Every structure is written in C-alpha cells, then in structure tokens.
Amino acid sequence: MSASAVFILDVKGKPLISRNYKGDVAMSKIEHFMPLLVQREEEGALAPLLSHGEVHFLWIKHSNLYLVATTSKNANASLVYSFLYKTIEVFCEYFKELEEESIRDNFVIVYELLDELMDFGFPQTTDSKILQEYITQQSNKLETGKSRVPPTVTNAVSWRSEGIKYKKNEVFIDVIESVNLLVNANGSVLLSEIVGTIKLKVFLSGMPELRLGLNDRVLFELTGRGKNKSVELEDVKFHQCVRLSRFDNDRTISFIPPDGDFELMSYRLSTQVKPLIWIESVIEKFSHSRVEIMVKAKGQFKKQSVANSVEIAVPVPSDADSPRFKTSVGSAKYVPERNVVIWSIKSFPGGKEYLMRAHFGLPSVEKEEVEGRPPIGVKFEIPYFTVSGIQVRYMKIIEKSGYQALPWVRYITQSGDYQLRTS
C-alpha cells in the first residue's frame, strides 16, 4: 500500500496545499506532525518516519518546505519516499526553484500535478517531460476537441512520446566520476571512493532500442574474459527505462531512452584511490606577529592528462591580516569571510609540482588555538579520463526504420568531497 494523502507544509508546519487520495486518514491529523517533529528534535530522536496513534507521517524537508505523506496502513516506505523525492524533482522542473513562494504562485498547476503524479495512493505518471505535454504553465484551460491525456501516459513506455523525429540522429554519453577523499595529517588515506554517473543526451527518431556495453567485471567473468581491464561496480542504480531483468540475467544494459537529457545510471566503487592532486603544507608562526604558509601541490595522474579549474582552499587563522602571496603558477586570493586562501590554477598537467607561499600579519595578542586547523579542500576537473578505468565498449542503436546514428562518448573525473588534513 502507498500514501493516503500528501501535504506540502511551510517551515512552521502550516499546510500550503494538500491532496487526499484515499480518504482513510482524516486530513486534520496533519496538525500532530509539527509538534511531534519539534518534540523528537528536542529529544535528539528525529526520524524520517513519525507516528501518532495509528497514523504514520513519512516526511522530507526541501528548502523551506516539508513534504509529508500520511498512511494508517503498513505502507511500502521506500516507495513513498521515492514518490516524495520524485515529486520534488518534477516541481523543480516546472518552477526552477521549489520553495514556499513557488507553491503559492502556482496552486492550480501544483494541484493538477498532484492529481497526475498519484492515483488512489499509487504513483502514476512521474516523468516531467511527459507531464509537460499536457500540464502546461501557460494556460490551465483545456481547448475543446483536444484529448487531455497524450497516448504516452497509457503506453508501455511512459517516459517517451511517439513520433519523435530528428534530421540528425545522435547520442551523447557523459561518464562523470567524482572522487571523494579524506587524507589525515600523516598522509594516510582515511576514506576513498568513486561515485560515478552515466548521463545521456538523446536526439533519436522513433522508438529506438539502445544497448550499452561497459567493461563490467561481472560480465567479463560471465563471458570468460577474466579481470582484463574490467571494473567492479557497486550500488548500481538505473533509470526506470532500463530492463532490469535483462541486466540481472546477462548484465546487458538494454533500454528505450527518454528524449533529451537524463541520467541512465549511477554507481560507486569503494576502491583505494591514489590522491590525484597531492598537497603538502608547512605553517610557521613567528612570535605571534606573522604567519607564513607554504603549500606544495603535485599532480599524481598521467602526464598526458590535465586538470582544469583547480582550486586549493588553504585555511588561515581567523585573526590574520595583511596578506601577501607568491605562486609558481596561477593566482592566490584571500577570502576573509571563509578564513581561507584560494589558490587557483587554470591548467595543471599530470606529474607537475607547484608552490604557493602566503604571508600574513597576526595581532600581537597571543590567541590560543582551541582546535586543529580545518583540512585543505581541493576542487578540479580532469577531462578524457576516469579514475576507475570504466569504459563504454559499445553503444548499439536499433530502430525499425534502420537509420544510422552516432554515439559520442566523453569522460570526466572531478573532485567530490576532497580533503587533506594538515594538523
């Protein structure tokens, strides 16, 4: 079973808009949600599911809004949360930003969307591209003689419309990997993982069937190719268009894609990653009147690769003043409101090593350092490179009209939460 009703509340818990889908839970029960939330917060026992008697509140917070689903049955909680997050996604597609003002300004459309997103407590059409075909922001009046619901809604493929035509049939594939890394002051890697997404931009006519082949370790072992240049994907999540039974059987990623941009899949690899940009720093304080910081950055990736838009955020004492910088490459800037120096390097080739020196004045009054320095944070992007070694081996495009289509693949590695502790 799913939700009985869905509420959108303001930050004080006052309902802005609600939709009763099943009528088996009194709408007045929502009054208990906010006091319950506040009480649990004070007790330090806040949970995503709160109960009052037989009524359960499944809730998420977004911006200055609470989205709350109520149920009195033993509901499928993961389905309800999936629905609430999908609702946020759809509203963001429609209103760009989802907050109290955008709800108040678009009551009619919000009601229409809530009616289409769920029916009698069960999720229905949740694809914003399809919803935009018949729920428009320009006008809420229906023209007589026109069918309200496009055939897509009743199709087996609810995420793609019939009759799409392009002069040039193309698919753009972006493989984007974010590296999360935490290194302690001794230089030991405490946390290291890769979070990857494969995003598609599809400009294909008709109803094409796509098959994507990766150098997936499980597939390579199934087909007797061993561990040859393969990667072991964990926590794989797919867009609804992927045929999961086919993937489970033979690891084939087979799907009829939505039109335009969408995220086909995401994955994680908890492998030990050698830090791509290594940072060392030395801090010297002189009789509490000045501080000198020396930072060395080294590109520990292939020499033929280049990291772009590198930003190294070096923490400095909160009472520092009179900054002076010297860099072997790039430029340094003091950001006092964040207590950091940002060292920006436009282009950082692999194997290179650069230096930055910063000199600050400090007040003469001795100020004890209560806690250790925050870590150095690094941002970067390395095109044409994946740290995991994942590869798109092929993309087959099959469509009954038999047209030829070009797949284009691009690889990007970027920093996620990338931090190096210095003390």
Side-chain angles (χ1 to χ4, degrees):
M1 299 298 285
S2 196
S4 171
V6 170
F7 296 82
I8 299 175
L9 315 178
D10 68 14
V11 78
K12 290 177 181 171
K14 184 183 167 198
L16 297 171
I17 203 163
S18 60
R19 181 70 179 83
N20 191 354
Y21 292 107
K22 292 168 74 175
D24 59 345
V25 175
M27 296 296 274
S28 58
K29 296 285 184 187
I30 194 66
E31 292 166 11
H32 300 294
F33 170 72
M34 207 60 194
L36 206 56
L37 185 81
V38 171
Q39 182 194 335
R40 288 292 173 86
E41 209 165 8
E42 286 169 355
E43 292 168 358
L46 199 54
L49 190 149
L50 303 171
S51 301
H52 184 270
E54 289 183 1
V55 180
H56 308 293
F57 303 102
L58 295 90
W59 65 279
I60 54 177
K61 190 172 188 214
H62 179 87
S63 184
N64 56 358
L65 299 170
Y66 290 97
L67 274 81
V68 186
T70 57
T71 179
S72 61
K73 303 283 194 304
N74 185 13
N76 179 339
S78 61
L79 179 67
V80 176
Y81 286 116
S82 252
F83 173 78
L84 291 175
Y85 280 110
K86 193 69 193 174
T87 302
I88 287 171
E89 199 181 300
V90 169
F91 287 168
C92 287
E93 290 271 340
Y94 266 82
F95 314 130
K96 302 294 174 255
E97 282 182 25
L98 177 59
E99 52 185 19
E100 185 180 331
E101 201 175 328
S102 52
I103 295 292
R104 289 189 185 281
D105 290 348
N106 297 280
F107 270 140
V108 174
I109 295 167
V110 171
Y111 269 121
E112 286 194 2
L113 287 170
L114 288 173
D115 278 349
E116 295 300 331
L117 285 162
M118 188 174 265
D119 186 31
F120 197 65
F122 294 96
Q124 297 297 310
T125 309
T126 58
D127 193 290
S128 61
K129 286 195 179 96
I130 302 306
L131 287 163
Q132 281 169 5
E133 287 185 25
Y134 62 105
I135 297 180
T136 64
Q137 283 165 284
Q138 280 74 34
S139 166
N140 298 310
K141 291 177 185 171
L142 295 172
E143 290 179 39
T144 51
K146 280 195 177 180
S147 164
R148 175 174 168 75
V149 180
T152 322
V153 174
T154 52
N155 277 355
V157 182
S158 63
W159 54 85
R160 186 178 178 90
S161 302
E162 299 266 3
I164 294 169
K165 284 194 176 80
Y166 285 101
K167 281 182 182 173
K168 192 176 182 184
N169 291 290
E170 293 178 304
V171 180
F172 295 89
I173 306 162
D174 276 351
V175 181
I176 302 161
E177 289 191 340
S178 294
V179 179
N180 295 332
L181 185 85
L182 180 60
V183 177
N184 72 8
N186 308 328
S188 305
V189 176
L190 301 177
L191 177 145
S192 131
E193 67 171 2
I194 302 160
V195 178
T197 54
I198 297 181
K199 294 183 178 178
L200 267 63
K201 197 174 272 197
V202 176
F203 304 109
L204 295 174
S205 306
M207 276 284 177
E209 166 89 26
L210 273 57
R211 281 177 206 155
L212 180 74
L214 302 171
N215 56 336
D216 170 11
R217 183 161 299 172
V218 178
L219 171 67
F220 274 37
E221 285 169 359
L222 282 173
T223 52
R225 273 174 281 188
K227 294 186 178 182
N228 237 11
K229 284 192 175 175
S230 60
V231 293
E232 193 168 346
L233 305 175
E234 300 169 41
D235 294 347
V236 181
K237 293 185 183 73
F238 288 113
H239 187 275
Q240 62 174 332
C241 67
V242 174
R243 294 190 174 91
L244 294 179
S245 56
R246 184 83 197 268
F247 182 76
D248 288 341
N249 285 339
D250 59 11
R251 304 292 280 194
T252 300
I253 301 168
S254 168
F255 56 99
I256 294 169
D259 189 42
D261 296 330
F262 74 102
E263 187 177 295
L264 176 70
M265 63 180 282
S266 64
Y267 58 89
R268 188 177 61 83
L269 289 99
S270 53
T271 50
Q272 194 76 351
V273 181
K274 184 183 178 185
L276 297 168
I277 293 179
W278 183 254
I279 305 289
E280 288 174 28
S281 78
V282 178
I283 292 189
E284 283 188 89
K285 281 192 178 180
F286 297 91
S287 65
H288 310 291
S289 61
R290 62 192 172 93
V291 63
E292 284 184 10
I293 302 169
M294 191 274 288
V295 178
K296 185 162 72 175
K298 187 179 181 183
Q300 298 192 139
F301 46 92
K302 291 176 188 171
K303 284 183 180 165
Q304 57 266 42
S305 294
V306 176
N308 296 330
S309 309
V310 177
E311 275 193 6
I312 300 163
V314 184
V316 296
S318 56
D319 54 347
D321 58 24
S322 321
R324 292 206 314 270
F325 307 110
K326 194 177 179 183
T327 59
S328 62
V329 72
S331 62
K333 188 176 100 178
Y334 178 39
V335 186
E337 61 272 20
R338 285 173 54 198
N339 296 322
V340 291
V341 170
I342 303 285
W343 179 17
S344 303
I345 304 166
K346 215 171 191 175
S347 180
F348 195 140
K352 291 284 183 188
E353 197 170 287
Y354 298 123
L355 280 176
M356 187 269 289
R357 291 180 187 276
H359 178 287
F360 285 91
L362 282 178
S364 54
V365 180
E366 187 170 332
K367 184 180 175 183
E368 280 187 43
E369 289 195 14
V370 183
E371 53 194 50
R373 292 173 63 239
I376 290 175
V378 187
K379 286 183 185 173
F380 59 84
E381 193 168 274
I382 308 172
Y384 319 114
F385 169 81
T386 58
V387 71
S388 71
I390 195 169
Q391 286 174 343
V392 173
R393 289 169 47 242
Y394 64 82
M395 167 68 91
K396 288 180 185 162
I397 300 161
I398 306 142
E399 214 279 329
K400 63 184 176 188
S401 64
Y403 60 71
Q404 294 298 304
L406 288 169
W408 304 90
V409 186
R410 191 169 58 161
Y411 298 96
I412 302 165
T413 289
Q414 59 192 23
S415 54
D417 189 5
Y418 193 104
Q419 297 185 336
L420 299 98
R421 288 183 182 156
T422 53
S423 61

